Amino acid sequence: MSILDAIIQGIVQGLTEFLPVSSSGHLAITQHILGAGTGESNLFFNVMLHVGTLVAVVAFYHKLVWDLIKEFILMIKDIFTGKFKWSKMNYNRNLVVMLIIGLIPLFLLFLPIPGTDMKLKDLADRLSASPVLIVTACSLILTSVLLTIGIIRNRKSVASTHKHLATKSNAKATRDNFNVVDAILVGVTQVCAALLPGLSRSGSTLSVGEMRGISKQKALDYTFVLGIPSILAAALLEGVDAIKSPEGLSNIEFLPLIIGMIVSAVVGYLAIVIFKWFLKSDKMEIFVIYTAVVGVAFIVISIIEMNTGVNLFTGAPIA
């Protein structure tokens, strides 16, 4: 892999991990266009790009992350001393508990698929490595649909809030705290995003939070913080798989790897800033249009490639 390829993929990973357009889908598209392949060394490179974006989200949310760590320790202490009360949780404690609940559905990825020797996470790997991007393209369109629903739901909530304020009511159409149902639904959505390359994790989980009536900024913060253990777990699992492969790390080119990680971290940090600005400015339609257009374009490209048997960008035969 050349340094230029590493920089390009680092930029793609950094932008798409946090913008609601799907990092796995865009990495698959980028590698398809570049002809980068889907071997184990490439898998390990993808893992390390995710580590770069993990650094970005921890750096951006470092104060909140530290507050949640302290609150988790205090919560454990209260549980063992009998002082924990579900109804008396403050915002940070509620967030800690809901993050834990939101992570539980990830264990579904380890369920076996009947009639095969695969687990659900293996299916995700197989779909991501497919030389034809039809699943990725359809998942991008699904991302567009979910974003649209989230935007509509949020605007209705905001309009309802303004109506309540106008009538001097104390009711709120949106809320800041997650409940158990919210956390489970977001967690299940995250599992779906892990399975389908092209389904944006940040976009789909944000949309589900908005559909449940959570304020959009709080839903986004929950999505990003929930991504920290999720990205870490995925990186560890994929890293172990790459190391255990027959190739191991023998074919890893470390200079492109390090440069790719740095680029993905820097660009990822900027992507979080950009996403929060788009959400605050109510300009999310740009992502709806973008994911729909790219999805439709690659459905057409995939159909052509399946009929011709060659990659339209590189001319290489599709295995």
Side-chain angles (χ1 to χ4, degrees):
M1 178 182 296
S2 71
I3 291 177
L4 179 59
D5 285 347
I7 292 173
I8 292 172
Q9 292 188 54
I11 291 172
V12 171
Q13 170 63 27
L15 280 175
T16 58
E17 180 65 42
F18 301 115
L19 295 182
V21 294
S22 175
S23 63
S24 59
H26 277 72
L27 276 176
I29 289 171
T30 303
Q31 290 163 3
H32 186 79
I33 293 172
L34 295 175
T38 55
E40 294 298 339
S41 60
N42 200 61
L43 170 62
F44 187 74
F45 181 77
N46 290 351
V47 170
M48 299 314 291
L49 290 183
H50 278 81
V51 173
T53 50
L54 177 64
V55 171
V57 72
V58 171
F60 188 90
Y61 282 101
H62 67 276
K63 186 178 184 303
L64 177 58
V65 170
W66 179 240
D67 288 343
L68 293 179
I69 291 172
K70 290 188 292 185
E71 191 61 46
F72 176 75
I73 295 171
L74 290 173
M75 184 180 73
I76 296 299
K77 177 183 176 183
D78 287 349
I79 290 173
F80 280 100
T81 57
K83 296 179 181 178
F84 176 83
K85 294 185 183 298
W86 184 277
S87 60
K88 297 291 180 66
M89 291 191 294
N90 59 30
Y91 175 79
N92 281 347
R93 183 161 298 189
N94 171 267
L95 187 54
V96 169
V97 173
M98 295 308 147
L99 286 170
I100 293 171
I101 293 172
L103 289 170
I104 292 174
L106 286 177
F107 288 99
L108 294 172
L109 292 171
F110 296 93
L111 289 177
I113 300 175
T116 72
D117 59 352
M118 296 192 305
K119 297 181 175 63
L120 280 178
K121 75 178 188 70
D122 300 322
L123 175 62
D125 293 339
R126 184 163 296 185
L127 290 174
S128 296
S130 173
V132 179
L133 300 180
I134 190 74
V135 173
T136 297
C138 291
S139 299
L140 282 168
I141 293 175
L142 179 57
T143 294
S144 180
V145 171
L146 288 173
L147 287 172
T148 301
I149 296 171
I151 290 170
I152 294 171
R153 177 63 177 88
N154 179 259
R155 287 179 179 170
K156 286 183 178 179
S157 297
V158 170
S160 181
T161 299
H162 289 164
K163 180 179 178 182
H164 289 315
L165 289 174
T167 57
K168 297 183 180 180
S169 168
N170 290 325
K172 285 187 69 177
T174 60
R175 49 196 169 88
D176 292 340
N177 281 5
F178 279 69
N179 60 37
V180 174
V181 176
D182 302 331
I184 291 174
L185 288 175
V186 170
V188 171
T189 304
Q190 184 170 234
V191 171
C192 295
L195 288 174
L196 297 173
L199 181 60
S200 167
R201 189 193 68 82
S202 61
S204 57
T205 53
L206 168 66
S207 296
V208 168
E210 289 178 316
M211 290 177 211
R212 291 289 300 168
I214 306 295
S215 66
K216 58 185 181 181
Q217 288 294 338
K218 295 299 181 182
L220 185 63
D221 291 344
Y222 181 87
T223 290
F224 281 157
V225 176
L226 183 68
I228 294 174
S230 303
I231 295 171
L232 180 60
L236 287 173
L237 288 172
E238 298 292 359
V240 169
D241 288 345
I243 292 170
K244 287 183 177 179
S245 70
E247 294 179 8
L249 302 182
S250 59
N251 293 332
I252 300 297
E253 299 173 82
F254 285 98
L255 181 58
L257 179 71
I258 293 170
I259 291 175
M261 285 179 62
I262 294 172
V263 171
S264 69
V266 173
V267 175
Y269 189 95
L270 295 175
I272 297 174
V273 175
I274 292 169
F275 192 4
K276 289 182 76 70
W277 179 83
F278 270 104
L279 194 65
K280 184 177 181 179
S281 304
D282 201 21
K283 300 181 185 296
M284 293 292 290
E285 288 88 349
I286 188 171
F287 300 115
V288 172
I289 296 169
Y290 174 78
T291 50
V293 169
V294 175
V296 170
F298 271 89
I299 284 177
V300 174
I301 290 170
S302 296
I303 292 173
I304 294 173
E305 290 183 340
M306 285 187 289
N307 286 330
T308 61
V310 298
N311 184 314
L312 284 183
F313 301 94
T314 65
I318 295 175

